[in-house]
Amino acid sequence: MRVELTEEKYILYTNRLEFNEQEMLKRSEEYLQNMSLRRTVREFSDRDVPHELIENGVKAAASAPSGANQQPWHFVIVKDPDIKKKIRQAAEIEENEFYNGKAPDEWLNAIEPLGTNETKPFLESAPYLIVVFEERFNKDEEGNTIKHYYTKESVGIACGLLISSLHLSGLATLTHTPSPMKFLNEILNRPANEKPYMILVTGYPAKNCKVPNINRKSFDTISSVL
């Protein structure tokens, strides 16, 4: 269904956060430092995660800008062990085909230093999986198709906010995108107008969790100032 504006077409923007420049710089640097600590992990603890952290993360994700304010996303929060097991089994079938035939040697060589393979135990061991769907179109009350615009961009921004929120809450995350992912519609009972976009695995990192020893590109490499 179409997301309409409220009764007044435009309202005053009164919710802006205002700080002096010194405070703005401080907050900016703190955010940078915190996000610089973020790492993708593949070893998760079975320690319980407060559901409120996950719910708040999804609500933060849903604040993302979207094309024509259509908000073309749906988030399925999976905690049930049986459902997680089904997702792992289906994902590993796709991943096994990918790693043992579909993937080009160039890609396999690129990810070799990261140590990834077709086995995905984190899909079961992590307390939560957040499965993100891209809503490509919808139906109005008369059954007419309403096309959604800039869906991939909109959902991508929402996922970034979700990852940031969970990280700043003290949780670790892993983005997982087996291809194809149509099995997620079936397992999670989602309609055909929704396309699986990402499985975001989240929880506390396991004790003595290790991550690849990698570096990030420098500011001068990734940006230009004109």
Side-chain angles (χ1 to χ4, degrees):
M1 61 186 297
R2 185 184 300 276
V3 179
E4 302 288 353
L5 295 175
T6 51
E7 292 182 5
E8 295 185 38
K9 190 173 182 179
Y10 295 100
I11 59 175
L12 289 175
Y13 178 33
T14 59
N15 296 328
R16 176 176 174 268
L17 298 176
E18 290 196 50
F19 310 103
N20 61 45
E21 289 190 8
Q22 183 177 1
E23 178 65 16
M24 291 171 70
L25 182 58
K26 176 186 175 185
R27 293 168 70 92
S28 172
E29 290 175 342
E30 287 177 350
Y31 183 81
L32 171 60
Q33 291 170 4
N34 285 330
M35 292 307 299
S36 294
L37 298 175
R38 190 209 63 78
R39 291 297 304 270
T40 294
V41 308
R42 290 176 171 80
E43 300 172 24
F44 288 87
S45 166
D46 60 2
R47 176 182 168 191
D48 284 340
V49 171
H51 183 79
E52 292 78 7
L53 294 181
I54 306 301
E55 186 173 317
N56 287 340
V58 170
K59 288 178 179 177
S63 74
S66 62
N69 190 39
Q70 291 174 320
Q71 303 168 50
W73 42 62
H74 187 87
F75 304 86
V76 180
I77 301 171
V78 181
K79 186 178 182 182
D80 185 283
D82 292 335
I83 298 178
K84 288 193 292 182
K85 183 177 182 178
K86 290 179 181 178
I87 291 175
R88 177 186 178 181
Q89 290 173 339
E92 286 185 342
I93 290 173
E94 302 295 351
E95 292 290 77
N96 186 61
E97 292 181 0
F98 177 77
Y99 279 90
N100 296 286
K102 288 184 178 180
D105 290 340
E106 182 180 9
W107 173 248
L108 293 176
N109 291 334
I111 62 175
E112 192 277 332
L114 302 179
T116 61
N117 55 43
E118 63 269 30
T119 304
K120 309 297 179 182
F122 47 76
L123 292 175
E124 279 193 271
S125 62
Y128 281 99
L129 306 179
I130 305 174
V131 184
V132 186
F133 286 86
E134 168 196 354
E135 193 177 73
R136 295 172 294 171
F137 61 90
N138 213 324
K139 299 284 186 178
D140 63 18
E141 295 178 356
E142 287 74 38
N144 300 310
T145 298
I146 300 174
K147 181 180 178 180
H148 288 175
Y149 297 90
Y150 298 103
T151 55
K152 285 181 169 47
E153 294 86 347
S154 301
V155 177
I157 296 169
C159 287
L161 293 182
L162 177 58
I163 292 169
S164 176
S165 174
L166 296 176
H167 171 70
L168 294 177
S169 298
L171 298 178
T173 58
L174 164 70
T175 57
H176 184 52
T177 53
S179 179
M181 294 192 285
K182 292 181 180 179
F183 62 86
L184 290 168
N185 289 77
E186 180 178 351
I187 293 174
L188 300 177
N189 195 30
R190 299 310 306 165
N193 65 314
E194 294 180 5
K195 181 179 180 180
Y197 188 92
M198 176 189 298
I199 302 174
L200 187 66
V201 187
T202 189
Y204 297 103
K207 186 177 181 180
N208 300 321
C209 171
K210 292 185 177 180
V211 296
N213 185 16
I214 59 175
N215 296 311
R216 293 186 172 96
K217 295 179 179 179
S218 69
F219 178 78
D220 292 339
T221 302
I222 66 166
S223 66
S224 301
V225 181
L226 303 178

